[in-house]
Amino acid sequence: MKAAVMRENNAPLELEEVAIDDPAPGEVLVKTAASGICHSDLTVIEGGLPYPPPAVLGHEPSGVVEAIGEGVTDFVPGDHVIGCLSSWCGSCKFCTDGRPYLCPSQYLGRAEGLAPRLSASNGDAIGQFANLSSFAEMMLCPERSLVKIREDMPLDRASLIGCGVTTGLGAALNTVNIPAGASVVIIGLGGVGLSALQGARIVGAGKIIAVDAQAWKFGLAKDLGATDCIDATDGDPVAAVHALTEGGADFVFECIGLVPTVQQAVAMTGRGGTTVLVGVVPMTEMVPISAADLVLQEKKVTGSYMGSNRFRFDMPKYVDFYLDGRLRLDEMISARLSLDEINDGFDRMRKGEVARQVIVFD
Ligand code: PAD
Ligand code: ZN
């Protein structure tokens, strides 16, 4: 099969012929239908999230089940599925206390003693990112990386739910409890931020203030539910939020992953408010924030990982949200690309020229 391989950091992905193994017990072979391009893939390429090359990235997929391994009970060939990196074991303390998205088993690959799931033409193993590797024509996944979805859901739009939508929407719907009428700020209007924005709209937030450095995104943000937009390149965005919210917002979602915007997010949060960190700051960096402000104003700062999902429960619900018109995905897709065009897609993402891009397979 054809796959885009990361051979080294900070270099274009290389299109190669890659071998994919047959499903072992508990595994499912999926023909990839579509894969969104998420900023986390770019962060891996740039070394901000360590993952050793050679590897096939891509973790926002939809597809159709091709074959199942022994003991697989949840899928049959022909099922339409979304893949998610939040694979879970079902028996650890995180799974049993209702937070399977924290299950450490998601970091395990194939059982020892088995051949690698992916390998190069010379037989060398190729890393499978997030148990998915969706920048490839086929995926070989643990059954607990997949969820079956309705067949009337278009698969290109379904792919977005695999990461960005679940991350942003889940940050607003699962990680925190936003009361109707609360003021919300979204910093960063990529696939993740626009999904958090829609989550705020769905729960009935009051003011929904969208902040980005690319003013062209404001038309889209307003269309998706923003009440106000702030151009981060035009004056001080913290002062602008304070002016709109009488001293700070109830909830601020940082959806970029930069040190200065994390600091801005905390500063934009009002007394008693909550800062939700969704963007992934490169692991090599630390963020200084005022602890006294947190104490004296009782601000809370929380991370949000993969939208605090229980994806087998959440994703079919998000599909319903799309099909009944409450979740808007068509507008979020700036471009559909072929796998051959993937490096152009990353260039456009670096320049901030797109909302979400989706690679579609034949
Ligand atoms: P994206 O690149 O599509 O969007 C980022 C947005 O931020 C763009 O609209 C930029 O214009 C905007 N931006 C950049 N710099 C600034 C600035 N200084 N001020 C204002 N706006 C700016 O990214 P994405 O939506 O794919 O991902 C966003 C982050 O979320 C990224 O860090 C990614 O790694 C992270 C993520 N987190 C999780 C999780 O589980 N927490 C999951 C998936 C992605
Ligand atoms: Zn992602």
Side-chain angles (χ1 to χ4, degrees), residues 37-40 43 49 59 163-164 167 187-193 211-214 217 232 255-258 261 264 277-281 304-307 349 352 354-356:
I37 303 182
C38 174
H39 203 110
S40 303
T43 307
L49 274 172
H59 62 278
C163 178
T167 297
I187 315 178
L189 304 174
V192 173
V211 183
D212 204 286
Q214 300 277 341
K217 293 201 162 171
C255 302
I256 305 173
L258 295 173
T261 47
Q264 286 171 3
L277 303 182
V278 185
V280 180
V281 177
S304 175
Y305 185 46
M306 287 303 291
M349 175 177 266
V354 285
R356 210 47 154 194

Side-chain angles (χ1 to χ4, degrees), residues 175-176 185 187 249-255 261-270 272-278 289 294 298-304:
T175 309
V176 291
V185 176
I187 315 178
D250 299 323
F251 294 89
V252 179
F253 294 83
E254 200 279 352
C255 302
T261 47
V262 168
Q263 292 174 310
Q264 286 171 3
V266 178
M268 286 171 183
T269 306
T274 303
T275 315
V276 185
L277 303 182
V278 185
I289 49 176
L294 301 193
E298 205 173 276
K299 295 186 188 182
K300 295 174 195 68
V301 179
T302 179
S304 175

